[in-house]
C-alpha cells in the first residue's frame, strides 16, 4: 500500500471568512477548525445528523473539481444549486500525483446521477444493467464494482444508505481492493460496519469540533454493541 494520498490535508482559510455567524461557518466543527489531516487510504467522517460532515465532504469534492451534486469530474448537471460556499474557503494539500479516476457519491442525489449516465450515454460503464433498472442498493454496489477502476479519489457520502449489512460488507471488501489499487477514500458514514475498516482514520464531528477517535470510542460502535447485547431490556425501556 502506498504512503501518500491524493489529498493529505484540508485547511480552512479563516482570514477570508467574513463572519462565523453565517452558515455553514457557524457550525461547531468550523468555529475552531484550522486544518485536518487525511489518511492516505481511508478517512471516515462520523458524527450526529447536522454536525456538518456531509457539508465538509461536499466542499472537499467541489474544491477538487467534482460536480457538487455527485458524479465524476465530467458531470456538470445541476438540479437545484444548494451547495454552500465552503468550497471557496478551503485549501486542499494535494500529492504530487494526480488520480486517474474519481467519483463523488451522494446518497441523496444518486437518482440524478443515474439519469445523467443515461443522458451522456455512458451507462455501460456502470454495469450490465442500467442503474435505473436496479434497486437503490443494487445500483449503489454496481457503481462501486464497475465504475470505480482504481488509482482514484473516491468521496462517498453515506454510501450505506441503501445497503443491507451483507452488502455493506461487500462494499468494504471492494474498498479494500481499490485501496490496494492505489486509491484513496473519504467517507461520511453512520455505519459501524464500514467504519471498522482497519487502520482507517476516524474523524468525529461534534460540538467540540473535529477530532480523531478510535473505532471503539465512537458512539456508533458503543450504541450498536449495547443494543445488540441487551436489546430486550433496551426495547422495553424505550417503548414503556
Amino acid at each position: 500500500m502506498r504512503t501518500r494520498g491524493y489529498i493529505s490535508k484540508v485547511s480552512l482559510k479563516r482570514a477570508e471568512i467574513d463572519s462565523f455567524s453565517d452558515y455553514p461557518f457557524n457550525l461547531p466543527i468550523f468555529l475552531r477548525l484550522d486544518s485536518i489531516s487525511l489518511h492516505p487510504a481511508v478517512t471516515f467522517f462520523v458524527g450526529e445528523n447536522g454536525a456538518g460532515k456531509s457539508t465538509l465532504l461536499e466542499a472537499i469534492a467541489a474544491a477538487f473539481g467534482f460536480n457538487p451534486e455527485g458524479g465524476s469530474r465530467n458531470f456538470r448537471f445541476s438540479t437545484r444549486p444548494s451547495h454552500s460556499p465552503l468550497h471557496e474557503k478551503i485549501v486542499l494539500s494535494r500529492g504530487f500525483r494526480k488520480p486517474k479516476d474519481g467519483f463523488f457519491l451522494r446518497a441523496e442525489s444518486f437518482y440524478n446521477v443515474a439519469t445523467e449516465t443515461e443522458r451522456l450515454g455512458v451507462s455501460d460503464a456502470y454495469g450490465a444493467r442500467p442503474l435505473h433498472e436496479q434497486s437503490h442498493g443494487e445500483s449503489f454496489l454496481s457503481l462501486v464494482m464497475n465504475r470505480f477502476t482504481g488509482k482514484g479519489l473516491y468521496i462517498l457520502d453515506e454510501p450505506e444508505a441503501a445497503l443491507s449489512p451483507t452488502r455493506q460488507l461487500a462494499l468494504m471488501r471492494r474498498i479494500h481492493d481499490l485501496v490496494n489499487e492505489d486509491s484513496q477514500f473519504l467517507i461520511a458514514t453512520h455505519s459501524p460496519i464500514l467504519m471498522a475498516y482497519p487502520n482507517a482514520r476516524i474523524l468525529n464531528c461534534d460540538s467540540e469540533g473535529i477530532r480523531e477517535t478510535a473505532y471503539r470510542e465512537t458512539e456508533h460502535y458503543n450504541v450498536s454493541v449495547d443494543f445488540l447485547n441487551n436489546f430486550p431490556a433496551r426495547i422495553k425501556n424505550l417503548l414503556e
Side-chain angles (χ1 to χ4, degrees):
M1 187 185 301
R2 59 185 161 73
T3 58
R4 279 183 173 273
Y6 299 109
I7 305 175
S8 61
K9 187 168 67 172
V10 180
S11 303
L12 184 64
K13 297 188 285 188
R14 300 184 64 86
E16 295 186 11
I17 297 172
D18 295 329
S19 173
F20 279 89
S21 297
D22 298 333
Y23 178 85
F25 308 106
N26 61 349
L27 294 175
I29 67 169
F30 301 123
L31 292 178
R32 291 177 290 276
L33 177 64
D34 287 312
S35 65
I36 53 173
S37 296
L38 305 177
H39 193 281
V42 179
T43 301
F44 291 110
F45 297 84
V46 306
E48 191 52 83
N49 295 327
K53 57 189 183 299
S54 292
T55 300
L56 176 56
L57 209 67
E58 172 192 83
I60 295 171
F64 200 83
F66 290 107
N67 181 29
E69 290 193 32
S72 72
R73 298 178 74 179
N74 296 323
F75 281 38
R76 284 293 173 261
F77 70 92
S78 178
T79 306
R80 180 181 181 275
S82 60
H83 55 288
S84 78
L86 180 60
H87 67 284
E88 300 173 349
K89 305 299 183 183
I90 61 173
V91 175
L92 306 181
S93 298
R94 308 189 187 201
F96 67 91
R97 298 176 307 153
K98 295 181 179 180
K100 294 184 177 180
D101 189 34
F103 206 92
F104 177 32
L105 170 64
R106 300 186 65 166
E108 63 183 356
S109 59
F110 187 66
Y111 178 92
N112 300 330
V113 170
T115 301
E116 185 69 0
T117 66
E118 295 182 352
R119 188 188 73 81
L120 294 175
V122 296
S123 58
D124 288 351
Y126 293 74
R129 295 165 57 201
L131 296 176
H132 279 315
E133 294 181 10
Q134 303 178 56
S135 72
H136 202 188
E138 287 176 324
S139 62
F140 264 44
L141 207 56
S142 182
L143 164 73
V144 178
M145 293 295 187
N146 296 287
R147 170 57 185 77
F148 292 9
T149 57
K151 299 185 186 299
L153 173 67
Y154 303 110
I155 302 177
L156 313 182
D157 187 13
E158 300 185 7
E160 76 279 5
L163 299 179
S164 70
T166 300
R167 294 295 178 89
Q168 290 181 46
L169 291 172
L171 174 59
M172 182 190 290
R173 177 67 216 197
R174 181 58 177 157
I175 288 172
H176 185 63
D177 289 342
L178 289 164
V179 164
N180 288 330
E181 293 173 11
D182 216 17
S183 298
Q184 182 181 21
F185 284 83
L186 310 181
I187 305 173
T189 185
H190 294 289
S191 169
I193 292 177
L194 291 182
M195 67 180 71
Y197 184 80
N199 303 316
R201 178 165 294 155
I202 301 176
L203 298 178
N204 187 67
C205 304
D206 61 19
S207 60
E208 301 299 317
I210 301 177
R211 67 185 187 281
E212 186 170 359
T213 187
Y215 174 58
R216 286 184 173 85
E217 294 176 0
T218 63
E219 180 183 41
H220 311 72
Y221 172 84
N222 285 293
V223 170
S224 298
V225 168
D226 177 73
F227 179 80
L228 292 174
N229 287 337
N230 306 283
F231 74 89
R234 296 293 176 261
I235 290 293
K236 184 173 184 294
N237 292 337
L238 182 66
L239 302 184
E240 283 185 346

